[in-house]
Amino acid sequence: MKYRIRRIVFRVVVSGIALSIIAAQPALADDVLCDTEQLPELVSGFFQITTTLGIVGLVVVWQADSFMEMFTASPEQKRGLKQHKRSALKSAVILLILGPLYTVAASVMGLPLGDCINLVPW
């Protein structure tokens, strides 16, 4: 029992220290990120790859659900598949909107990351 409490206290303390370091020096972290040679391109490329994989995943889910709709007999199953397709479409729309929205908002607010990292997937 004491061991669990010590572990929990240790995790809370370490998390608090890490959070205070990150929160205390955001401008320094932004400068370091923008001043490195390949890191902004790496972050932008990673975002483009994950967005592309998300869109491919949407297409796969959409086609699988459409295929399964052809072979389901009960209306309840068809409703469930249509709702699953809708939720996949919402996820893809959010995935496509968040990157450009952050890029525009960061440049409008004057955040340094908005100038050096492009999160627009196209």
Side-chain angles (χ1 to χ4, degrees):
M1 186 68 169
K2 288 182 180 181
Y3 180 70
R4 283 187 183 171
I5 294 173
R6 286 183 187 168
R7 253 183 27 193
I8 291 171
V9 169
F10 178 75
R11 287 183 183 174
V12 168
V13 169
V14 169
S15 300
I17 290 171
L19 183 62
S20 66
I21 289 172
I22 292 170
Q25 299 176 350
L28 179 62
D30 290 342
D31 290 339
V32 169
L33 183 65
C34 292
D35 289 342
T36 57
E37 286 183 28
Q38 296 177 348
L39 196 56
E41 291 86 15
L42 182 70
V43 171
S44 298
F46 176 76
F47 186 79
Q48 290 175 351
I49 287 172
T50 55
T51 302
T52 303
L53 289 175
I55 298 302
V56 168
L58 165 74
V59 170
V60 168
V61 166
W62 191 274
Q63 291 298 321
D65 285 346
S66 296
F67 182 73
M68 289 173 58
E69 268 184 298
M70 288 190 282
F71 296 107
T72 56
S74 75
E76 184 177 316
Q77 287 177 337
K78 287 186 180 185
R79 265 186 264 127
L81 287 171
K82 286 184 181 183
Q83 184 170 352
H84 189 253
K85 284 168 58 173
R86 263 187 258 123
S87 66
L89 186 60
K90 286 178 189 176
S91 298
V93 167
I94 290 171
L95 187 66
L96 287 173
I97 289 176
L98 280 183
L101 184 65
Y102 175 77
T103 302
V104 170
S107 61
V108 166
M109 287 193 257
L111 298 176
L113 287 178
D115 296 332
C116 67
I117 294 178
N118 183 14
L119 297 180
V120 179
W122 49 86

Short mmCIF file of all heavy atoms in Angstrom, two decimals, residues 58-95:
data_model
loop_
_atom_site.label_atom_id
_atom_site.label_comp_id
_atom_site.label_asym_id
_atom_site.label_seq_id
_atom_site.Cartn_x
_atom_site.Cartn_y
_atom_site.Cartn_z
N LEU A 58 -10.23 6.68 -43.77
CA LEU A 58 -11.63 7.02 -43.99
C LEU A 58 -12.17 6.30 -45.22
O LEU A 58 -13.26 5.74 -45.19
CB LEU A 58 -11.80 8.52 -44.18
CG LEU A 58 -13.16 8.94 -44.76
CD1 LEU A 58 -14.25 8.81 -43.72
CD2 LEU A 58 -13.11 10.31 -45.34
N VAL A 59 -11.41 6.30 -46.28
CA VAL A 59 -11.86 5.63 -47.51
C VAL A 59 -12.04 4.13 -47.27
O VAL A 59 -13.03 3.54 -47.71
CB VAL A 59 -10.86 5.90 -48.67
CG1 VAL A 59 -11.17 5.04 -49.86
CG2 VAL A 59 -10.89 7.38 -49.04
N VAL A 60 -11.10 3.52 -46.55
CA VAL A 60 -11.20 2.09 -46.27
C VAL A 60 -12.42 1.80 -45.41
O VAL A 60 -13.19 0.87 -45.69
CB VAL A 60 -9.91 1.58 -45.59
CG1 VAL A 60 -10.09 0.18 -45.03
CG2 VAL A 60 -8.75 1.61 -46.58
N VAL A 61 -12.64 2.59 -44.36
CA VAL A 61 -13.79 2.38 -43.48
C VAL A 61 -15.09 2.60 -44.25
O VAL A 61 -16.04 1.83 -44.12
CB VAL A 61 -13.71 3.32 -42.25
CG1 VAL A 61 -15.03 3.37 -41.50
CG2 VAL A 61 -12.60 2.86 -41.33
N TRP A 62 -15.13 3.65 -45.06
CA TRP A 62 -16.33 3.96 -45.84
C TRP A 62 -16.66 2.81 -46.80
O TRP A 62 -17.82 2.38 -46.89
CB TRP A 62 -16.12 5.26 -46.61
CG TRP A 62 -17.37 5.79 -47.23
CD1 TRP A 62 -17.89 5.44 -48.44
CD2 TRP A 62 -18.26 6.75 -46.67
NE1 TRP A 62 -19.05 6.14 -48.67
CE2 TRP A 62 -19.30 6.94 -47.60
CE3 TRP A 62 -18.27 7.46 -45.48
CZ2 TRP A 62 -20.33 7.83 -47.36
CZ3 TRP A 62 -19.30 8.33 -45.25
CH2 TRP A 62 -20.32 8.51 -46.19
N GLN A 63 -15.65 2.31 -47.50
CA GLN A 63 -15.90 1.22 -48.44
C GLN A 63 -16.29 -0.07 -47.73
O GLN A 63 -17.17 -0.79 -48.18
CB GLN A 63 -14.65 0.98 -49.31
CG GLN A 63 -14.36 2.09 -50.28
CD GLN A 63 -15.48 2.29 -51.27
OE1 GLN A 63 -16.08 1.33 -51.75
NE2 GLN A 63 -15.79 3.53 -51.56
N ALA A 64 -15.65 -0.35 -46.60
CA ALA A 64 -16.00 -1.56 -45.84
C ALA A 64 -17.43 -1.47 -45.31
O ALA A 64 -18.18 -2.45 -45.38
CB ALA A 64 -15.01 -1.76 -44.70
N ASP A 65 -17.80 -0.31 -44.79
CA ASP A 65 -19.17 -0.15 -44.29
C ASP A 65 -20.18 -0.24 -45.43
O ASP A 65 -21.25 -0.83 -45.27
CB ASP A 65 -19.31 1.18 -43.56
CG ASP A 65 -18.67 1.16 -42.19
OD1 ASP A 65 -18.36 0.06 -41.70
OD2 ASP A 65 -18.49 2.25 -41.61
N SER A 66 -19.87 0.34 -46.57
CA SER A 66 -20.78 0.25 -47.71
C SER A 66 -20.92 -1.19 -48.19
O SER A 66 -22.02 -1.64 -48.55
CB SER A 66 -20.27 1.12 -48.87
OG SER A 66 -20.26 2.47 -48.50
N PHE A 67 -19.82 -1.92 -48.18
CA PHE A 67 -19.86 -3.33 -48.58
C PHE A 67 -20.68 -4.14 -47.59
O PHE A 67 -21.48 -5.00 -47.99
CB PHE A 67 -18.43 -3.86 -48.68
CG PHE A 67 -18.34 -5.28 -49.14
CD1 PHE A 67 -18.60 -5.61 -50.46
CD2 PHE A 67 -17.99 -6.29 -48.25
CE1 PHE A 67 -18.52 -6.92 -50.89
CE2 PHE A 67 -17.91 -7.59 -48.67
CZ PHE A 67 -18.18 -7.93 -49.99
N MET A 68 -20.50 -3.87 -46.30
CA MET A 68 -21.24 -4.61 -45.28
C MET A 68 -22.72 -4.27 -45.31
O MET A 68 -23.57 -5.11 -44.99
CB MET A 68 -20.66 -4.34 -43.89
CG MET A 68 -19.30 -4.98 -43.68
SD MET A 68 -18.51 -4.52 -42.14
CE MET A 68 -19.70 -5.01 -40.94
N GLU A 69 -23.07 -3.04 -45.73
CA GLU A 69 -24.48 -2.65 -45.83
C GLU A 69 -25.23 -3.49 -46.85
O GLU A 69 -26.42 -3.75 -46.70
CB GLU A 69 -24.59 -1.18 -46.22
CG GLU A 69 -24.67 -0.23 -45.05
CD GLU A 69 -24.88 1.19 -45.51
OE1 GLU A 69 -24.01 1.72 -46.22
OE2 GLU A 69 -25.93 1.75 -45.16
N MET A 70 -24.51 -3.90 -47.89
CA MET A 70 -25.17 -4.70 -48.93
C MET A 70 -25.60 -6.07 -48.41
O MET A 70 -26.54 -6.65 -48.92
CB MET A 70 -24.22 -4.90 -50.11
CG MET A 70 -24.01 -3.65 -50.92
SD MET A 70 -23.13 -3.97 -52.46
CE MET A 70 -21.47 -4.12 -51.87
N PHE A 71 -24.89 -6.57 -47.39
CA PHE A 71 -25.16 -7.93 -46.93
C PHE A 71 -25.86 -7.99 -45.58
O PHE A 71 -26.06 -9.07 -45.05
CB PHE A 71 -23.85 -8.73 -46.86
CG PHE A 71 -23.20 -8.90 -48.20
CD1 PHE A 71 -22.07 -8.19 -48.52
CD2 PHE A 71 -23.76 -9.75 -49.14
CE1 PHE A 71 -21.47 -8.35 -49.76
CE2 PHE A 71 -23.17 -9.91 -50.38
CZ PHE A 71 -22.03 -9.20 -50.70
N THR A 72 -26.23 -6.87 -45.02
CA THR A 72 -26.96 -6.90 -43.75
C THR A 72 -28.45 -6.85 -44.03
O THR A 72 -28.92 -6.18 -44.95
CB THR A 72 -26.58 -5.71 -42.86
OG1 THR A 72 -26.80 -4.51 -43.57
CG2 THR A 72 -25.15 -5.80 -42.40
N ALA A 73 -29.18 -7.59 -43.23
CA ALA A 73 -30.62 -7.69 -43.45
C ALA A 73 -31.41 -6.82 -42.48
O ALA A 73 -32.45 -6.28 -42.86
CB ALA A 73 -31.06 -9.15 -43.30
N SER A 74 -30.91 -6.67 -41.27
CA SER A 74 -31.72 -5.95 -40.29
C SER A 74 -31.52 -4.44 -40.41
O SER A 74 -30.42 -3.96 -40.66
CB SER A 74 -31.38 -6.41 -38.87
OG SER A 74 -30.16 -5.87 -38.47
N PRO A 75 -32.61 -3.69 -40.24
CA PRO A 75 -32.51 -2.23 -40.30
C PRO A 75 -31.64 -1.64 -39.18
O PRO A 75 -31.00 -0.61 -39.37
CB PRO A 75 -33.95 -1.75 -40.15
CG PRO A 75 -34.80 -2.94 -40.42
CD PRO A 75 -33.99 -4.14 -40.14
N GLU A 76 -31.59 -2.33 -38.04
CA GLU A 76 -30.77 -1.83 -36.94
C GLU A 76 -29.28 -1.89 -37.29
O GLU A 76 -28.52 -0.97 -36.98
CB GLU A 76 -31.06 -2.67 -35.69
CG GLU A 76 -30.32 -2.16 -34.47
CD GLU A 76 -30.70 -2.97 -33.24
OE1 GLU A 76 -31.90 -3.24 -33.04
OE2 GLU A 76 -29.78 -3.29 -32.48
N GLN A 77 -28.88 -2.96 -37.95
CA GLN A 77 -27.48 -3.07 -38.37
C GLN A 77 -27.14 -2.00 -39.41
O GLN A 77 -26.06 -1.40 -39.38
CB GLN A 77 -27.19 -4.45 -38.94
CG GLN A 77 -27.12 -5.54 -37.89
CD GLN A 77 -26.89 -6.90 -38.51
OE1 GLN A 77 -27.19 -7.12 -39.68
NE2 GLN A 77 -26.37 -7.82 -37.72
N LYS A 78 -28.07 -1.75 -40.33
CA LYS A 78 -27.84 -0.73 -41.35
C LYS A 78 -27.72 0.65 -40.71
O LYS A 78 -26.87 1.46 -41.11
CB LYS A 78 -28.94 -0.74 -42.40
CG LYS A 78 -28.86 -1.92 -43.33
CD LYS A 78 -29.87 -1.83 -44.44
CE LYS A 78 -29.73 -3.05 -45.34
NZ LYS A 78 -30.59 -2.99 -46.50
N ARG A 79 -28.55 0.93 -39.71
CA ARG A 79 -28.46 2.22 -39.01
C ARG A 79 -27.11 2.36 -38.29
O ARG A 79 -26.49 3.42 -38.32
CB ARG A 79 -29.60 2.35 -37.99
CG ARG A 79 -30.78 3.10 -38.55
CD ARG A 79 -31.83 3.36 -37.50
NE ARG A 79 -32.81 2.28 -37.66
CZ ARG A 79 -33.25 1.48 -36.70
NH1 ARG A 79 -32.84 1.65 -35.47
NH2 ARG A 79 -34.10 0.52 -36.94
N GLY A 80 -26.66 1.27 -37.69
CA GLY A 80 -25.36 1.29 -37.02
C GLY A 80 -24.22 1.53 -37.99
O GLY A 80 -23.29 2.29 -37.69
N LEU A 81 -24.29 0.92 -39.16
CA LEU A 81 -23.25 1.13 -40.17
C LEU A 81 -23.27 2.56 -40.71
O LEU A 81 -22.22 3.17 -40.92
CB LEU A 81 -23.41 0.13 -41.31
CG LEU A 81 -23.03 -1.32 -40.97
CD1 LEU A 81 -23.44 -2.25 -42.10
CD2 LEU A 81 -21.54 -1.41 -40.71
N LYS A 82 -24.49 3.09 -40.92
CA LYS A 82 -24.57 4.47 -41.40
C LYS A 82 -24.03 5.45 -40.35
O LYS A 82 -23.36 6.42 -40.69
CB LYS A 82 -26.02 4.82 -41.76
CG LYS A 82 -26.46 4.18 -43.06
CD LYS A 82 -27.84 4.61 -43.45
CE LYS A 82 -28.22 3.90 -44.75
NZ LYS A 82 -29.53 4.33 -45.24
N GLN A 83 -24.30 5.18 -39.08
CA GLN A 83 -23.78 6.04 -38.03
C GLN A 83 -22.26 5.92 -37.96
O GLN A 83 -21.56 6.92 -37.76
CB GLN A 83 -24.40 5.67 -36.69
CG GLN A 83 -23.96 6.60 -35.58
CD GLN A 83 -24.76 6.37 -34.31
OE1 GLN A 83 -25.73 5.63 -34.29
NE2 GLN A 83 -24.34 7.02 -33.25
N HIS A 84 -21.74 4.74 -38.17
CA HIS A 84 -20.29 4.55 -38.18
C HIS A 84 -19.65 5.31 -39.34
O HIS A 84 -18.59 5.92 -39.19
CB HIS A 84 -19.96 3.06 -38.27
CG HIS A 84 -18.52 2.76 -38.07
ND1 HIS A 84 -17.70 2.39 -39.11
CD2 HIS A 84 -17.76 2.80 -36.96
CE1 HIS A 84 -16.49 2.21 -38.64
NE2 HIS A 84 -16.49 2.44 -37.34
N LYS A 85 -20.31 5.29 -40.49
CA LYS A 85 -19.80 6.05 -41.64
C LYS A 85 -19.82 7.55 -41.35
O LYS A 85 -18.88 8.27 -41.69
CB LYS A 85 -20.64 5.74 -42.90
CG LYS A 85 -20.34 4.38 -43.52
CD LYS A 85 -21.33 3.95 -44.56
CE LYS A 85 -21.50 4.86 -45.70
NZ LYS A 85 -22.37 4.30 -46.76
N ARG A 86 -20.87 8.02 -40.71
CA ARG A 86 -20.96 9.44 -40.37
C ARG A 86 -19.87 9.86 -39.39
O ARG A 86 -19.25 10.91 -39.54
CB ARG A 86 -22.33 9.77 -39.77
CG ARG A 86 -23.29 10.32 -40.80
CD ARG A 86 -24.58 10.80 -40.15
NE ARG A 86 -25.58 9.76 -40.41
CZ ARG A 86 -26.27 9.10 -39.49
NH1 ARG A 86 -26.15 9.39 -38.24
NH2 ARG A 86 -27.11 8.16 -39.84
N SER A 87 -19.62 9.03 -38.40
CA SER A 87 -18.58 9.37 -37.43
C SER A 87 -17.19 9.34 -38.07
O SER A 87 -16.33 10.16 -37.74
CB SER A 87 -18.63 8.45 -36.21
OG SER A 87 -18.30 7.13 -36.57
N ALA A 88 -16.96 8.43 -39.02
CA ALA A 88 -15.69 8.40 -39.74
C ALA A 88 -15.54 9.66 -40.59
O ALA A 88 -14.45 10.24 -40.68
CB ALA A 88 -15.59 7.15 -40.61
N LEU A 89 -16.61 10.09 -41.21
CA LEU A 89 -16.57 11.31 -42.02
C LEU A 89 -16.31 12.54 -41.14
O LEU A 89 -15.53 13.42 -41.52
CB LEU A 89 -17.88 11.47 -42.79
CG LEU A 89 -17.94 12.61 -43.79
CD1 LEU A 89 -16.88 12.44 -44.86
CD2 LEU A 89 -19.33 12.67 -44.42
N LYS A 90 -16.93 12.60 -39.97
CA LYS A 90 -16.68 13.72 -39.05
C LYS A 90 -15.21 13.75 -38.63
O LYS A 90 -14.60 14.82 -38.55
CB LYS A 90 -17.57 13.60 -37.81
CG LYS A 90 -19.02 13.93 -38.06
CD LYS A 90 -19.82 13.73 -36.79
CE LYS A 90 -21.29 13.84 -37.03
NZ LYS A 90 -22.09 13.55 -35.83
N SER A 91 -14.65 12.58 -38.35
CA SER A 91 -13.24 12.52 -37.96
C SER A 91 -12.34 13.01 -39.07
O SER A 91 -11.36 13.73 -38.82
CB SER A 91 -12.86 11.08 -37.59
OG SER A 91 -13.60 10.64 -36.49
N ALA A 92 -12.64 12.66 -40.31
CA ALA A 92 -11.83 13.11 -41.44
C ALA A 92 -11.94 14.61 -41.63
O ALA A 92 -10.95 15.28 -41.92
CB ALA A 92 -12.24 12.38 -42.71
N VAL A 93 -13.13 15.16 -41.45
CA VAL A 93 -13.31 16.61 -41.59
C VAL A 93 -12.52 17.34 -40.51
O VAL A 93 -11.83 18.33 -40.78
CB VAL A 93 -14.81 16.98 -41.54
CG1 VAL A 93 -15.00 18.46 -41.37
CG2 VAL A 93 -15.51 16.49 -42.80
N ILE A 94 -12.57 16.84 -39.28
CA ILE A 94 -11.79 17.44 -38.20
C ILE A 94 -10.30 17.35 -38.51
O ILE A 94 -9.55 18.31 -38.30
CB ILE A 94 -12.13 16.76 -36.86
CG1 ILE A 94 -13.54 17.15 -36.43
CG2 ILE A 94 -11.12 17.13 -35.78
CD1 ILE A 94 -14.06 16.37 -35.25
N LEU A 95 -9.88 16.21 -39.02
CA LEU A 95 -8.47 16.03 -39.37
C LEU A 95 -8.03 17.01 -40.44
O LEU A 95 -6.92 17.56 -40.37
CB LEU A 95 -8.27 14.59 -39.86
CG LEU A 95 -6.85 14.12 -40.13
CD1 LEU A 95 -6.07 14.10 -38.83
CD2 LEU A 95 -6.87 12.76 -40.76
#
